[in-house]
Amino acid sequence: MEFLTLQNGDKLPKVGYGFWKVDPDRTAGLVQEAVQRGYRHLDCACDYGNEEQVGQGIQSTLKAGDCSRDDLWVTSKLWNTYHAPEHVEAACRKSLSDLQLDYLDLYLIHFPISQKFVPFDERYPPGWFSDPDAANPQMEMNPVPIAETWKAMEKLVDDGLVKHIGISNFGTSLIRDLLSAARIRPSVLQVELHPYLTQEKLVKYCEKEQIAVTGFSPLGALSYLSLDMADREESVLEQSVVKAAAERTGKSPAQVVLRWGVQRGTAVIPKTEKPERLTENLSLFDFELTNDEMQAISGLNRNRRFNDPGDFCEAAFNTFCPIYE
């Protein structure tokens, strides 16, 4: 395993296991399988609806002696309905309780979207709708300045509930504004990154500001086919430059694309429910892509964003909610 070095010297594993869309019934077993195969970076979130099962898997793993808690890097995320400062700690403690942990290694603001609070005992995870049973259910906003949410996130660090705090789905302007008010700087930015969405300027800006970058959906369209948010023809794995690099290195096209992600200095969090793919997705450090291959794969960029609230919120949640424009 290779690592990204954070501002304080802590090490973030470059490859993690992402739990978005992982079936809760399979989650605990997949945690154990992943750790046994070498994963130490687990990427979770309240909104994924499987943190309780991740926690069960972690506890089984620890009891089996497959690793220690200090060996694991566990990330979770603050959901949109908990941005008000008075709800941040409670949301974090709920994730900690579900994960059966005393602390998180990283806690991210999931989206720069602040929605109306949904009580924990009313619905958890709360999802995107304020009232899914309404005649015309919609998202309901409750604007909270990011600086206020961030101040509450900083207190989580002060209180020892989390080691690092960060952001997800933020662009340079929001990051710049956040840095102007932050007492504790964000350690990590997590955003969609793959050869069709290289986000070169954002990655370069974060490097300048010493903010580590983790790319979600590192294989692009494959994460979105089941959601009808991508077409099978959009698979980057079918590109000739990817196939050529795979043939030269003796690796799979998926490994080439994931290698491109870590070789450009970012972490990646691929998701799979196939045990054999777990090992494949982790086996990225016994080969390198040439400069020409790296440039050719980066040249596939189309600025194609699959995970865009400006598109899916209107289609799925009856609410226009752009954040990147």
Side-chain angles (χ1 to χ4, degrees):
M1 178 59 68
E2 294 180 0
F3 301 85
L4 297 181
T5 302
L6 304 186
Q7 298 160 14
N8 70 343
D10 285 352
K11 305 290 187 180
L12 170 66
K14 281 189 176 182
V15 182
Y17 185 87
F19 284 92
W20 179 49
K21 296 196 305 166
V22 175
D23 183 346
D25 291 338
R26 300 196 61 198
T27 295
L30 284 165
V31 171
Q32 297 173 72
E33 187 79 37
V35 171
Q36 289 169 1
R37 291 173 183 256
Y39 287 81
R40 295 296 182 267
H41 176 179
L42 307 177
D43 185 80
C44 313
C46 152
D47 187 55
Y48 300 166
N50 54 17
E51 285 194 324
E52 188 173 350
Q53 291 78 17
V54 173
Q56 293 167 2
I58 290 174
Q59 289 307 307
S60 295
T61 295
L62 297 179
K63 289 175 183 176
D66 294 329
C67 69
S68 69
R69 171 65 183 98
D70 290 342
D71 293 330
L72 292 176
W73 180 284
V74 183
T75 297
S76 186
K77 305 177 187 72
L78 178 77
W79 186 240
N80 306 341
T81 53
Y82 307 132
H83 277 216
E86 62 268 25
H87 302 312
V88 171
E89 181 177 331
C92 179
R93 288 188 181 276
K94 172 60 175 166
S95 282
L96 285 170
S97 175
D98 286 349
L99 292 166
Q100 300 185 50
L101 298 176
D102 296 324
Y103 68 89
L104 292 169
D105 297 274
L106 176 64
Y107 198 46
L108 305 173
I109 297 177
H110 202 148
F111 282 97
I113 299 171
S114 179
Q115 295 181 240
K116 179 183 177 182
F117 174 65
V118 176
F120 297 91
D121 58 359
E122 180 178 318
R123 191 171 69 253
Y124 189 90
W128 293 83
F129 285 129
S130 293
D131 180 6
D133 297 323
N136 182 33
Q138 293 184 320
M139 296 165 56
E140 188 171 344
M141 302 304 173
N142 178 37
V144 177
I146 289 294
E148 291 186 12
T149 304
W150 191 254
K151 186 175 181 180
M153 297 279 284
E154 291 173 329
K155 187 175 184 299
L156 300 177
V157 179
D158 295 338
D159 293 343
L161 297 177
V162 305
K163 289 190 172 183
H164 296 273
I165 49 178
I167 46 184
S168 182
N169 299 297
F170 277 51
T172 54
S173 294
L174 267 180
I175 298 171
R176 187 177 289 111
D177 186 60
L178 175 59
L179 290 175
S180 71
R183 173 172 59 87
I184 299 175
R185 293 167 63 88
S187 294
V188 176
L189 167 70
Q190 186 177 125
V191 289
E192 181 181 343
L193 286 178
H194 45 76
Y196 287 166
L197 184 69
T198 59
Q199 304 211 65
E200 302 283 353
K201 293 178 182 178
L202 178 59
V203 172
K204 184 176 181 179
Y205 175 73
C206 287
E207 181 180 2
K208 172 181 174 292
E209 294 293 345
Q210 295 184 296
I211 300 171
V213 176
T214 296
F216 69 75
S217 302
L219 296 176
L222 294 182
S223 297
Y224 299 93
L225 294 175
S226 64
L227 301 174
D228 293 327
M229 293 167 64
D231 297 324
R232 195 165 292 278
E233 297 75 35
E234 294 183 281
S235 174
V236 69
L237 305 185
E238 299 301 320
Q239 288 286 346
S240 59
V241 294
V242 172
K243 288 183 173 181
E247 184 175 354
R248 183 190 69 80
T249 58
K251 297 292 185 175
S252 71
Q255 286 174 305
V256 166
V257 172
L258 294 175
R259 176 66 204 184
W260 169 85
V262 299
Q263 194 166 318
R264 73 194 295 242
T266 66
V268 296
I269 45 171
K271 167 259 177 184
T272 182
E273 295 188 19
K274 298 178 180 179
E276 65 274 15
R277 296 290 189 197
L278 286 170
T279 298
E280 179 181 322
N281 290 346
L282 198 62
S283 303
L284 308 178
F285 304 107
D286 58 351
F287 73 104
E288 288 189 359
L289 300 175
T290 67
N291 288 336
D292 286 346
E293 288 168 338
M294 288 292 293
Q295 291 176 13
I297 294 171
S298 294
L300 297 173
N301 182 51
R302 303 175 178 179
N303 297 320
R304 173 61 165 108
R305 191 186 303 276
F306 295 101
N307 194 325
D308 188 347
D311 292 330
F312 71 73
C313 284
E314 188 169 23
F317 305 116
N318 305 317
T319 309
F320 181 50
C321 186
I323 63 173
Y324 297 115
E325 284 70 23

